[in-house]
Amino acid sequence: MKKSVFLLLCSGIVLFLSSCKTVFYQVYKTESTSLTNKQDGRLFFEDAVCKVSYNLWDEGGNVGFCLFNKTDENIYVDLGESFFILNGIAYDYYKNRVYSESNTSSIQRKGRSELYRISNGNNVSVSRNESRVICIPANTSKMIFEYKVSESLYHDCDMLLYPSRSKIKSINFTRENSPCVFSNRISYRIGESKDLTRMDNEFYVTQITNYPVSEMTYTRFPSFCGERSLRKQLYLREGEPNEFYIEYRKVAGGWKH
């Protein structure tokens, strides 16, 4: 019995290791012509009124942004006049969606040894329309998320799709020949003003590299309050805020590039 359990465990480890070898990552590095600063793991675009920060590092590229109001007045971001733009195609931030939330009313009572909840069975459904204008109070910030940059792999005859460590090669681009140019065009007004100010936060891909999983991950013993775990865990390395990645698996009989 012990022998069969041991064999089953070993076969599971072999299966895990072999499956790891089929995982690869395509990593994109970007630059920007309008970037003002880079610090604390974030990229910043800034004018006299607001500061917009990004961290693209996510699967597909996270173009969500945090807008900080530097003034002593409210800033109103008009999503109807704000767009995510990818290779010249504009995508709306305002979609006029309706959100529905459902709540069950209940009463909480505290017993001798526990807190328990009694429901009266009444479900309350509340619908709300998506806001076209987002108010950001003075000296505060709000996060706005909607789009990813890309989830499609880039192919090139000079770059192996499934490289070993010794055959990793990068493809470099300029702003003019970049396969991916993207931006957030953010429109806002200050206080009672009716005039819209538009800010363009543009990025373009300058480098694409395919990596085997061994070059993108590491293992360590997690610890908490000085106590170390008995098992190692696998972690994805933390990339730069101007990078993003796509995870993919090797396809038997698929393209080499």
Side-chain angles (χ1 to χ4, degrees):
M1 178 66 179
K2 289 184 178 179
K3 184 178 180 180
S4 62
V5 171
F6 175 75
L7 291 175
L8 182 61
L9 179 61
C10 287
S11 63
I13 293 174
V14 171
L15 181 62
F16 172 75
L17 293 175
S18 62
S19 64
C20 280
K21 291 181 180 180
T22 68
V23 177
F24 293 81
Y25 291 85
Q26 187 163 97
V27 177
Y28 296 70
K29 183 176 292 185
T30 70
E31 290 185 11
S32 174
T33 54
S34 54
L35 187 69
T36 58
N37 200 1
K38 176 183 174 182
Q39 62 183 29
D40 300 326
R42 299 196 68 82
L43 307 171
F44 292 93
F45 298 81
E46 186 173 9
D47 60 19
V49 173
C50 62
K51 178 185 286 189
V52 184
S53 62
Y54 294 85
N55 185 349
L56 302 178
W57 185 251
D58 196 4
E59 184 159 16
N62 175 19
V63 289
F65 57 92
C66 178
L67 193 151
F68 175 71
N69 180 358
K70 297 164 58 176
T71 74
D72 293 327
E73 298 184 77
N74 290 340
I75 284 181
Y76 298 91
V77 179
D78 189 340
L79 296 183
E81 296 284 343
S82 300
F83 307 93
F84 170 62
I85 302 172
L86 176 62
N87 291 336
I89 305 298
Y91 299 88
D92 297 331
Y93 266 103
Y94 177 64
K95 299 177 181 293
N96 197 25
R97 291 167 288 200
V98 178
Y99 299 96
S100 181
E101 300 173 352
S102 180
N103 295 310
T104 301
S105 56
S106 60
I107 302 172
Q108 285 188 342
R109 293 183 179 177
K110 188 174 183 180
R112 179 172 297 180
S113 59
E114 62 180 357
L115 183 70
Y116 59 96
R117 184 186 299 268
I118 301 175
S119 173
N120 61 15
N122 294 327
N123 291 325
V124 179
S125 181
V126 179
S127 295
R128 62 180 179 86
N129 293 325
E130 179 181 19
S131 298
R132 170 172 174 157
V133 176
I134 296 177
C135 176
I136 304 178
N139 299 301
T140 67
S141 60
K142 284 189 177 180
M143 307 288 293
I144 298 175
F145 296 94
E146 188 66 45
Y147 294 104
K148 289 183 177 292
V149 181
S150 176
E151 295 179 334
S152 299
L153 291 175
Y154 177 83
H155 297 266
D156 192 284
C157 295
D158 293 327
M159 182 174 64
L160 291 174
L161 193 57
Y162 311 117
S164 61
R165 178 181 295 184
S166 62
K167 294 185 178 181
I168 295 172
K169 183 178 179 180
S170 299
I171 304 296
N172 298 302
F173 308 94
T174 64
R175 169 66 176 79
E176 288 68 31
N177 68 0
S178 177
C180 187
V181 180
F182 59 97
S183 64
N184 277 322
R185 184 170 298 171
I186 306 167
S187 299
Y188 65 87
R189 58 184 175 84
I190 309 166
E192 299 301 319
S193 173
K194 296 184 182 298
D195 297 328
L196 278 177
T197 300
R198 291 179 173 85
M199 174 188 281
D200 270 319
N201 303 160
E202 185 188 84
F203 302 86
Y204 59 95
V205 170
T206 60
Q207 186 180 90
I208 300 177
T209 312
N210 294 333
Y211 292 99
V213 67
S214 59
E215 294 297 297
M216 290 291 295
T217 57
Y218 64 95
T219 59
R220 67 176 174 85
F221 292 100
S223 62
F224 181 72
C225 295
E227 182 181 3
R228 195 178 78 160
S229 171
L230 297 177
R231 292 184 177 180
K232 281 188 176 182
Q233 290 190 13
L234 186 69
Y235 295 89
L236 179 68
R237 74 165 174 85
E238 187 66 26
E240 294 296 319
N242 64 320
E243 297 177 321
F244 63 94
Y245 65 91
I246 297 175
E247 179 184 321
Y248 60 101
R249 293 182 178 274
K250 187 172 184 179
V251 178
W255 298 106
K256 293 182 179 180
H257 298 89

